[in-house]
Amino acid sequence: MRVTVQFRSRVQKRLCRFFYFKMFVTYILYSKGFDRFYVGSTENIHSRLLRHNNKMIPSTKKYIPWTIIYTEEFKTRAEAFTREQEIKAKKSRKYIEWLISSSK
């Protein structure tokens, strides 16, 4: 039995780190039919949106379809979660609308 090992070059190692670098997102969803917002955070925004729209999230399943209208990216899950809590703590629809309008 023969085993070969290939070592990566420095460039390949850097590229691997780049492609496997995870970004965490704080997001705001909007339900046009019900005129509602939802604030959350996740590592994979696209799969999370699918879960919301496939009625897999109890707090949002009554208000589908959802669309992503605002995102902020962070390097750590803790930063994204902290930002989510800051937005939710405002308890203000006007603040959310201001965030959305200022990002355009």
Side-chain angles (χ1 to χ4, degrees):
M1 183 168 146
R2 185 174 179 179
V3 177
T4 58
V5 178
Q6 182 179 2
F7 294 99
R8 294 182 177 152
S9 70
R10 283 188 220 168
V11 173
Q12 287 173 326
K13 286 181 185 178
R14 286 184 189 149
L15 285 174
C16 280
R17 280 190 223 132
F18 174 76
F19 286 115
Y20 290 108
F21 182 70
K22 296 179 182 180
M23 290 299 290
F24 298 90
V25 178
T26 298
Y27 62 90
I28 299 176
L29 302 179
Y30 181 67
S31 171
K32 186 176 181 181
F34 294 91
D35 193 33
R36 291 183 64 108
F37 293 103
Y38 177 82
V39 180
S41 60
T42 187
E43 182 179 343
N44 186 335
I45 188 72
H46 300 292
S47 69
R48 186 68 172 163
L49 180 62
L50 286 174
R51 291 183 67 210
H52 282 291
N53 283 327
N54 287 326
K55 299 182 180 182
M56 298 172 77
I57 311 298
S59 60
T60 62
K61 67 182 180 180
K62 296 177 186 176
Y63 308 106
I64 61 171
W66 293 96
T67 56
I68 300 169
I69 57 171
Y70 181 81
T71 60
E72 292 180 26
E73 292 184 348
F74 299 92
K75 291 181 181 179
T76 67
R77 177 176 276 124
E79 290 173 326
F81 182 73
T82 300
R83 181 63 176 140
E84 173 190 347
Q85 295 305 311
E86 287 172 1
I87 295 170
K88 287 180 175 180
K90 301 273 187 196
K91 295 185 180 182
S92 171
R93 182 181 182 92
K94 287 185 179 187
Y95 178 70
I96 290 173
E97 290 170 347
W98 175 81
L99 272 176
I100 295 163
S101 66
S102 66
S103 69
K104 291 181 181 179

